[in-house]
Amino acid sequence: MSATKNLAKYTKEKAINLAAMARATGIQYSVLYASLGDKNRYRPLSIDEAIAVCKFLDVNPIEFADKEPAG
């Protein structure tokens, strides 16, 4: 599972408000929704977006890294 999908799962489990996240991070709501909220659409977060989201959530980005070895 990708880091973006792991972040999406986390935000859903914690019932994170994407509108509040958008306001706090400066990332457009539509971008956050496409990446984290819409299960029918998949848009990976950029590294800068992912870091901003993790700062907002006060979590370490490495927590969402894919645990499977690349290959």
Side-chain angles (χ1 to χ4, degrees):
M1 192 177 302
S2 74
T4 297
K5 287 184 180 179
N6 290 335
L7 263 167
K9 181 179 175 188
Y10 179 87
T11 58
K12 286 176 189 165
E13 288 173 354
K14 300 288 186 182
I16 304 298
N17 183 306
L18 295 182
M21 183 187 293
R23 286 189 298 275
T25 62
I27 302 169
Q28 291 181 348
Y29 173 83
S30 60
V31 169
L32 290 174
Y33 185 76
S35 297
L36 303 175
D38 188 349
K39 65 181 178 181
N40 296 317
R41 187 170 168 215
Y42 177 65
R43 179 200 171 272
L45 290 168
S46 73
I47 189 68
D48 291 331
E49 292 166 345
I51 289 171
V53 166
C54 288
K55 282 183 177 181
F56 172 80
L57 297 172
D58 196 27
V59 294
N60 186 336
I62 200 70
E63 296 295 319
F64 303 100
D66 192 359
K67 305 299 187 226
E68 297 295 318

